[in-house]
């Protein structure tokens, strides 16, 4: 099948790629760019394991073709932090046991990351509603919600201290 040239800006790095029109973005991220943080759970836009940020929106990367992302700014879980300097959401998920098997965690954290930018002071209900598109098969939602609320509190406290 003929390939199409696309340009993506992924985690701040410009990437030039040749992709087939049928290729889903999740596979281009995982297999061509070696970004294996976004996971494949269902491939039917149900579970949210493949969630990344595209041009400032949470997107399930199994729901779009890579060619549709041409020119986009993409952030994956790899773009949030380094192993020595975890993002506050990652620290809170660790501290509050927000991950069990961890398969849903990258998508959950990427969704939470965007949620806290959309709503920096979410209530518990806001968090539950905000992550409704991300499934945790371990049904560990209690601690995931706790982790996200704790991250919001830490971010807000740091902002207040800086003002
Ligand atoms: S793998 Fe994309 S939503 Fe499940
Ligand atoms: S921690 Fe197991 S699926 Fe979410």
């Amino acid at each position: 099948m003929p390939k199409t040239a696309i340009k993506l800006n992924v985690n701040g790095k410009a990437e030039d790629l040749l992709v087939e029109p049928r290729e889903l973005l999740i596979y281009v991220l995982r297999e061509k760019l070696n970004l294996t943080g976004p996971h494949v759970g269902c491939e039917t836009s149900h579970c949210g394991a493949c969630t990344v940020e595209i041009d400032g929106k949470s997107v399930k990367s199994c729901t779009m073709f890579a060619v549709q992302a041409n020119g986009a700014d993409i952030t994956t879980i790899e773009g949030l932090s380094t192993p020595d300097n975890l993002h506050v959401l990652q620290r809170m998920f660790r501290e509050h046991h927000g991950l069990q098997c961890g398969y849903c965690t990258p998508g959950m954290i990427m969704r939470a990351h965007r949620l806290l930018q959309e709503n920096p002071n979410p209530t518990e209900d806001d968090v539950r509603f905000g992550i409704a598109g991300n499934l945790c098969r371990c049904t560990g939602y209690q601690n995931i919600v706790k982790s996200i609320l704790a991250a919001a509190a830490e971010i807000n406290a740091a902002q207040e201290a800086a003002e």
Side-chain angles (χ1 to χ4, degrees):
M1 193 174 283
K3 296 198 172 178
T4 304
I6 62 168
K7 286 181 190 294
L8 304 177
N9 185 17
V10 186
N11 299 331
K13 191 168 163 227
E15 304 281 3
D16 289 300
L17 297 153
L18 277 178
V19 297
E20 291 184 22
R22 63 170 185 86
E23 282 183 84
L24 295 173
L25 180 61
I26 180 70
Y27 289 110
V28 170
L29 293 173
R30 289 178 57 85
E31 293 173 8
K32 291 205 159 82
L33 298 178
N34 293 323
L35 296 168
T36 52
H39 289 158
V40 185
C42 65
E43 225 185 34
T44 58
S45 76
H46 190 61
C47 73
C50 62
T51 302
V52 299
E53 286 186 20
I54 302 183
D55 292 336
K57 292 201 171 82
S58 298
V59 174
K60 294 175 177 178
S61 59
C62 73
T63 62
M64 75 191 280
F65 294 115
V67 288
Q68 293 176 289
N70 188 21
D73 275 321
I74 300 176
T75 307
T76 69
I77 187 83
E78 287 89 346
L80 280 198
S81 63
T82 61
D84 294 335
N85 187 18
L86 293 183
H87 189 276
V88 59
L89 275 163
Q90 292 170 306
R91 284 196 287 104
M92 291 303 115
F93 268 64
R94 183 171 66 184
E95 214 167 281
H96 296 277
H97 310 290
L99 56 156
Q100 295 181 72
C101 76
Y103 200 82
C104 65
T105 304
M108 205 61 94
I109 287 181
M110 291 313 294
R111 175 58 202 136
H113 180 250
R114 180 49 44 190
L115 171 64
L116 295 186
Q117 289 173 63
E118 293 161 356
N119 179 1
N121 278 303
T123 63
E124 181 176 337
D125 281 352
D126 293 335
V127 170
R128 287 183 186 278
F129 184 75
I131 61 167
N134 292 69
L135 303 184
C136 173
R137 284 159 211 265
C138 317
T139 67
Y141 296 104
Q142 202 62 34
N143 286 342
I144 289 171
V145 171
K146 212 189 284 178
S147 305
I148 296 171
L149 288 170
E154 187 170 319
I155 293 167
N156 289 330
Q159 261 165 10
E160 272 168 34
E163 280 165 11

